[in-house]
Amino acid sequence: MGNYKFILSGGGTGGHIYPAIAIANELKRRHPDAQFLFVGAQDRMEMEKVPQAGYEIEGLWISGLQRKLTLKNLMFPFKVISSLIKAGKIVRRFKPDAVIGTGGFASGPMLRVAAGKGVPCVLQEQNSYAGITNKLLKDKVAKICVAYDEMERFFPKDKIVKTGNPVRGDLVEMVADKNEALDFFGLKKGVPTLLILGGSLGARRINQLVAQNLEFFKKTGVQLIWQCGKLYIEEYAKYSSDTVKVLDFMNRMDYAYAASDMIISRAGAGSVSELCIVGKPVIFVPSPNVSEDHQTKNARALVNENAAILLRESELDEKFENVFSELFQDKAEQKNLGDNIKKLALPNATKDIVDEIEKLIGNATSK
């Protein structure tokens, strides 16, 4: 027992990659002798990030359909066939005990082939609006781990288990001291601190918003931790000062969260799950450039619980200053939002997902 073999497939974005790595780490903790293989899209970021996490990965020749007629779309059927063939070879060679899909193009062919060969398969859907790949796989897999209620709109009710999304381990405990965190960033104690998150690459519109409102923030009396992203650091580094800390990437997210009193963030599934655990008042500015507008739907799910504020990019010029000022001045509402978002936290998500995988393995091996 314990010499299991697991295939994990998902990628394209960090929101698909990092949950897969977190699940693999928990499986490895429980089964040190297990073997792992990741399967991704051969030209996407998982081909770099997964080896950095210490796991082997193979790439499929697969991508999504473009919204307009392009040569890439004409190649799509050939990519699907190629990926199905290679996925079949991987399953026959590796002989996995279970396959876990976290969304993204590569997980489609991988899980379809594995399920067709009788391998127990688990889906992990991060968003409140299911992705296309996971919706196509819903009838093929044994279990679907979700982070939101009412997901029976997309998946068979008897397969759904609400687990939440995996988050980095240092946030589950959140033991970082606020004063220590402020010292880390070189910020003053006793001054309200706003954390701005645009993801590892950065969010152009959020960066523009912050740059346009630096004088407003100064007058309001807040200091900033501004993660502008590696694509924008050269453009915005010039705004760094004693009260504005501009960073391309956060190596200590626990310090960033501990130092902050309020947060402005995109609404990707991973960010939302982390912010629920953190329990601070959040203004979400969802990206409108993602499939199915799922970031807006993620944020809306929290707004419906009075657990966050939602501002669309199209509303920022008109509404941002008033919305921010009202929240900044209303300490009771800040506490209310923080308390409500924390009630939605599911800090044991990774362990609960692995529990479901182990149940399936047990059922499979006992047959």
Side-chain angles (χ1 to χ4, degrees), residues 4-9 16-39 50 53-56 98 100-102 124 166 349-351 353-354 357-358:
Y4 294 119
K5 294 182 177 182
F6 299 104
I7 290 178
L8 297 101
S9 186
H16 295 313
I17 297 165
Y18 296 120
I21 292 172
I23 293 167
N25 288 343
E26 177 63 15
L27 283 166
K28 189 174 184 179
R29 187 188 69 80
R30 299 189 193 188
H31 306 282
D33 296 325
Q35 296 180 49
F36 296 88
L37 177 65
F38 280 68
V39 177
V50 169
Y55 294 101
E56 180 184 352
I100 301 98
T102 58
Q124 199 262 321
T350 308
K351 293 179 181 179
I353 292 167
V354 172
I357 296 167
E358 289 186 328

Side-chain angles (χ1 to χ4, degrees), residues 5-9 91 96-102 107-124 134 137-145 159-161 353 356-361 363-364 367:
K5 294 182 177 182
F6 299 104
I7 290 178
L8 297 101
S9 186
V91 171
D97 293 288
V99 177
I100 301 98
T102 58
S107 65
M110 191 67 245
L111 271 78
R112 185 176 181 85
V113 168
K117 294 182 179 297
V119 179
C121 294
V122 177
L123 282 181
Q124 199 262 321
N134 283 354
L137 291 168
K138 68 180 188 297
D139 296 323
K140 308 292 182 184
V141 302
K143 285 291 177 184
I144 305 170
C145 297
K159 294 185 178 183
I160 294 174
V161 182
I353 292 167
E356 294 301 319
I357 296 167
E358 289 186 328
K359 289 176 189 175
L360 284 180
I361 294 173
N363 290 338
K367 290 180 182 177

Side-chain angles (χ1 to χ4, degrees), residues 4-5 43 55 77 89 110 112 122 135 139 187 194 196 209 239 246 263 299 306 311 318 360:
Y4 294 119
K5 294 182 177 182
D43 59 346
Y55 294 101
K89 290 179 180 178
M110 191 67 245
R112 185 176 181 85
V122 177
K135 285 191 283 189
D139 296 323
L187 291 170
L194 172 65
I196 298 116
L209 173 76
Y239 294 115
V246 184
I263 300 168
N306 194 26
L311 277 177
E318 179 185 354
L360 284 180

Side-chain angles (χ1 to χ4, degrees), residues 81-336:
I81 293 169
S82 169
S83 295
L84 289 169
I85 292 171
K86 186 169 183 180
K89 290 179 180 178
I90 290 172
V91 171
R92 286 193 296 273
R93 184 187 76 242
F94 193 74
K95 297 181 174 59
D97 293 288
V99 177
I100 301 98
T102 58
F105 307 132
S107 65
M110 191 67 245
L111 271 78
R112 185 176 181 85
V113 168
K117 294 182 179 297
V119 179
C121 294
V122 177
L123 282 181
Q124 199 262 321
E125 172 56 61
Q126 298 96 28
N127 293 294
S128 62
Y129 194 94
I132 293 173
T133 301
N134 283 354
K135 285 191 283 189
L136 290 173
L137 291 168
K138 68 180 188 297
D139 296 323
K140 308 292 182 184
V141 302
K143 285 291 177 184
I144 305 170
C145 297
V146 303
Y148 292 87
D149 294 322
E150 300 179 8
M151 294 303 286
E152 59 272 13
R153 293 177 294 157
F154 310 106
F155 304 127
K157 188 174 182 179
D158 61 335
K159 294 185 178 183
I160 294 174
V161 182
K162 186 180 179 184
T163 57
N165 289 322
V167 298
R168 63 195 90 198
D170 58 351
L171 297 182
V172 175
E173 301 298 330
M174 271 299 289
V175 295
D177 176 75
K178 181 168 185 174
N179 288 334
E180 184 180 336
L182 290 168
D183 286 340
F184 178 82
F185 289 106
L187 291 170
K188 297 178 181 177
K189 300 176 180 66
V191 177
T193 303
L194 172 65
L195 172 63
I196 298 116
L197 301 173
S200 57
L201 297 179
R204 179 188 297 276
R205 188 63 187 92
I206 290 179
N207 288 335
Q208 292 172 342
L209 173 76
V210 177
Q212 292 165 2
N213 283 278
L214 286 174
E215 190 61 32
F216 163 72
F217 289 130
K218 184 177 180 180
K219 290 179 180 177
T220 305
V222 295
Q223 54 190 2
L224 309 183
I225 302 171
W226 176 8
Q227 190 224 350
C228 67
K230 65 179 184 180
L231 293 182
Y232 300 98
I233 187 64
E234 290 186 11
E235 182 178 356
Y236 292 103
K238 62 187 177 185
Y239 294 115
S240 277
S241 68
D242 289 344
T243 58
V244 179
K245 304 302 175 180
V246 184
L247 304 161
D248 57 347
F249 185 77
M250 299 279 193
N251 290 314
R252 290 297 302 266
M253 282 305 302
D254 56 333
Y255 277 164
Y257 287 132
S260 65
D261 297 291
M262 295 172 58
I263 300 168
I264 296 172
S265 176
R266 285 301 202 199
S271 297
V272 171
S273 295
E274 287 189 0
L275 291 167
C276 287
I277 290 172
V278 170
K280 301 284 178 79
V282 183
I283 297 173
F284 284 114
V285 182
S287 170
N289 306 312
V290 293
S291 60
E292 311 287 356
D293 197 23
H294 67 250
Q295 287 203 10
T296 299
K297 296 178 174 72
N298 290 347
R300 180 66 62 191
L302 272 69
V303 171
N304 290 343
E305 301 294 330
N306 194 26
I309 292 172
L310 165 62
L311 277 177
R312 295 177 181 271
E313 284 193 356
S314 59
E315 301 173 321
L316 291 176
D317 289 337
E318 179 185 354
K319 295 184 177 180
F320 176 74
E321 286 193 15
N322 285 338
V323 169
F324 184 87
S325 294
E326 286 180 11
L327 180 60
F328 180 75
Q329 294 165 13
D330 192 340
K331 301 300 181 185
E333 180 62 5
Q334 288 183 37
K335 184 177 187 307
N336 187 42

